[in-house]
Structure formats: C-alpha cells, structure tokens
Amino acid sequence: MAKASAPGKLILFGEHFVVYGLPAIATAIEARTVAEVKRAGKFSLQDNRPETPGYRNAKRDQQSDSIQRILRVMRLEGEKASIELGGNLIAASGVGASGASCAAIAAALNEEFTLGKGIDEINDVAYEGEKGYHGVPSGIDNCCSSYGGFILFRKDLKTGKGIVRQLHSKAVLSIIIGNTGITSNTTKVVEDVKREKQRDPDRFRKMLDDYSMIVEEAETALAKGELKKIGLLMNRNHLLLEEMDVSCPELEELVDIASRSGALGAKLTGTGRGGLMIALVTDETKGRVASAIEKAGFRSEITRIGAEGVRVER
Ligand code: MEV
C-alpha cells in the first residue's frame, strides 16, 4: 500500500489570461487530497473527499477519463489497483481539486509500483490526468499541487509546455475563501472566453495588455510584501475577469461583501461562473470578513498559503 498527498491551489492573479500565454501567480494551500493505492484483484475507486454538494457527481465521468489517462501514461493500464481518495481539501471548483487529486494519485502509483519517477515526471503525469477534466488546461493547477509554494506560471504557446518559477513573498498573506457552492465547468468557460476573443479581438487584446501590467506589478508587490498594493491589484484583476464575463452574481456578491467588510482586495479565483472568491485580509479584518460571508449564507474558510507540494505519506 502507498499513500501520497497534494495540496489544493489558489490562483492569486491570472486565471484565463494564463491560457493566452500570460504569466499567472498561484499558491498552494494547506488543505490536501490524500490518495491511497493498493494492488488488488480488480480496479476500484473510492472517492471519500469532502465536497461542495454535487461536485463529485458532476465530475464523475471526467474523473474516470482522468484516471484512465494517468494509468496509460504511467504504463500501468493492465495493472489492477484500488484507489481511495480522502484528505481535508474540500473538492470544489476553484481550489484545484482535480489537480491535487491527479498529483496525489500519480505519486501514490509511482510509490506502489516502484516506478522511480521524480517530481517533474509526477507533474507531467498529473497534467495528463488534468486533461480528463479540462480538455487542454494551461497546467497551472497541477504545477501548483506538484511543486507547492508560490509560483509564477507561464504556458509557452509554441511548445504547450508550462514554465514555472518559484516566487518568494516577504509578506505573510492571509486569505479568506468564500464558496458560491456552484460547480463550474472549466472546459466550457474557457471555450466561452475563446469565443469572446474571436468575436472582438481588439477588446480582448486590450484586456490582455491591462492584465500584463497588473501581473508585473503584483510580482514586485509580492516580493516586497506590499499588502495594500497586492489587494488593489487583486481588485483590478477581478474587474478584468468580470469584463471577460467569467464572474456571476454570487461571486459579485462575495467580492462586494469582502470589500465592504474591510478586505484589502478580493477577486474570483480559478474558472469563475461559480466556484470560489478569495479575499486578502489582515488579522484585524479576517473575523469581520468571514462572518459577513457566513451571514450572507455562503461558506467561508481561512487558509495559510505557500504550502508544501506533493509528497509521499509514510
Ligand atoms: C482553472 O483553474 C484556471 C483556468 O485559467 C484554466 C487553465 O488555466 O487551464 C481558468
């Protein structure tokens, strides 16, 4: 039996823009998905992850495609194994639940079948698994779950390869997550954005240019630990995502609540059209922001970020 775990992720800057080759900044969170793999008489999957109601059901077919891809790329197709998923990462849109489970499954299979793959290969396998969920994803989610910490991620559009650079933050960032409770479909939302780009290329180009400035400033602000600046840049990034039409009334309400109750900045994170909102808070404001979110009927959670990437659990 082998066990491995991988963290969920939050995109601080650049979801959707990353699909068009611009850099995004993301971080691993404390909550993790654990995969336990055992050689067995037949293949089986037991998914015991906590979830936003309906998430696992909505993703069932994608999950099965994803696991087949992982087994194929690891050359384990004929092997029989039982896979059990658990851990404290709540499976929900926006938190990289699929990326975390792919990385954890890849690492546990690697251990159980003594394949000797290193971290970059585990990440490549996790990326293959992500395709089952997201068509052709940028790869940011699996990179975050594999490498952990803070990353600046860019997809080379010519080779399709992800380029990852570890970032360091002087500041300790406290993030409150607000959950819309809505499961979104990344493939569909990414396709809608692409259609919008084709419909009005000039408007889209302007959004990409505006975002480029935001991420450049964000990298510097993060390195210097300028919390207020980071918050303002998150607000600006959210406005662009709203303009891109990937927000929704529930995300707008969450951003509004967080801003009015004292967050330094707030934005949707991940796919959008549901999923999660993140708010940058201080020790003084975190209680106020979290209770305002709960009072409005949404679930909230505070998380530390910059957590460790995929690892084998002994
Ligand atoms: C999903 O977590 C992030 C998106 O940018 C899609 C991707 O990067 O593949 C929306």
Side-chain angles (χ1 to χ4, degrees):
M1 188 270 282
K3 223 190 228 186
S5 74
K9 69 91 190 38
L10 293 174
I11 297 181
L12 298 175
F13 295 95
E15 47 280 275
H16 292 288
F17 294 97
V18 71
V19 172
Y20 299 92
L22 296 181
I25 298 176
T27 185
I29 61 174
E30 282 175 303
R32 307 177 77 83
T33 288
V34 179
E36 196 177 301
V37 169
K38 259 189 235 142
R39 289 171 201 246
K42 61 181 176 57
F43 178 81
S44 69
L45 172 71
Q46 207 179 328
D47 191 348
N48 299 327
R49 291 173 298 167
E51 62 163 357
T52 282
Y55 177 92
R56 289 185 320 217
N57 234 343
K59 303 279 176 183
R60 190 143 298 165
D61 289 348
Q62 297 181 352
Q63 183 180 46
S64 145
D65 182 16
S66 166
I67 291 177
Q68 288 313 315
R69 283 170 180 273
I70 290 176
L71 293 171
R72 211 175 305 136
V73 77
M74 295 184 94
R75 298 184 192 281
L76 292 173
E77 253 175 324
E79 301 287 350
K80 312 256 185 312
S82 71
I83 301 177
E84 197 180 321
L85 296 178
N88 61 353
L89 175 66
I90 297 173
S93 296
V95 79
S98 58
S101 72
C102 289
I105 291 171
L109 286 168
N110 183 48
E111 194 67 11
E112 178 68 359
F113 291 93
T114 43
L115 302 178
K117 290 186 187 300
I119 178 73
D120 293 341
E121 287 168 291
I122 295 294
N123 182 46
D124 288 346
V125 172
Y127 179 61
E128 187 57 34
E130 275 280 84
K131 291 182 189 165
Y133 290 93
H134 303 312
V136 187
S138 66
I140 187 169
D141 290 13
N142 50 279
C143 281
C144 229
S145 292
S146 297
Y147 299 112
F150 288 90
I151 62 167
L152 185 94
F153 175 93
R154 193 171 67 74
K155 181 173 177 164
D156 183 328
L157 295 184
K158 283 204 189 96
T159 62
K161 278 253 162 214
I163 302 162
V164 180
R165 179 151 58 81
Q166 293 280 346
L167 296 179
H168 299 281
S169 169
K170 256 201 183 153
V172 177
L173 305 189
S174 288
I175 296 283
I176 298 242
I177 302 173
N179 191 341
T180 63
I182 301 167
T183 297
S184 51
N185 181 328
T186 304
T187 310
K188 180 178 183 313
V189 183
V190 168
E191 270 167 15
D192 287 352
V193 172
K194 193 166 157 198
R195 221 169 292 124
E196 185 50 30
K197 175 178 179 269
Q198 283 157 354
R199 199 188 62 80
D200 194 343
D202 292 342
R203 180 168 168 269
F204 203 82
R205 167 57 45 208
K206 164 100 182 46
M207 285 195 279
L208 297 187
D209 289 346
D210 289 351
Y211 170 73
S212 294
M213 287 190 291
I214 292 175
V215 70
E216 215 179 292
E217 287 179 48
E219 192 188 341
T220 312
L222 201 66
K224 289 187 180 164
E226 296 171 338
L227 285 181
K228 276 195 183 146
K229 183 87 191 273
I230 297 169
L232 290 173
L233 292 165
M234 285 169 70
N235 292 340
R236 275 171 58 193
N237 191 167
H238 180 76
L239 287 176
L240 283 179
L241 289 163
E242 200 190 338
E243 208 180 317
M244 207 179 240
D245 196 25
V246 296
S247 190
C248 64
E250 293 79 2
L251 283 167
E252 290 309 304
E253 188 182 349
L254 280 165
V255 166
D256 192 48
I257 293 170
S259 307
R260 276 190 290 108
S261 47
L264 292 171
K267 67 183 274 293
L268 71 84
T269 186
T271 302
R273 304 247 181 101
L276 309 179
M277 180 270 331
I278 50 170
L280 181 62
V281 291
T282 58
D283 281 349
E284 292 74 53
T285 55
K286 66 183 178 197
R288 209 177 331 137
V289 174
S291 58
I293 289 173
E294 299 267 338
K295 215 163 142 195
F298 298 102
R299 269 172 36 189
S300 84
E301 196 187 326
I302 183 148
T303 183
R304 279 212 308 256
I305 53 182
E308 190 188 349
V310 68
R311 65 174 182 235
V312 171
E313 302 286 342
R314 306 276 172 207

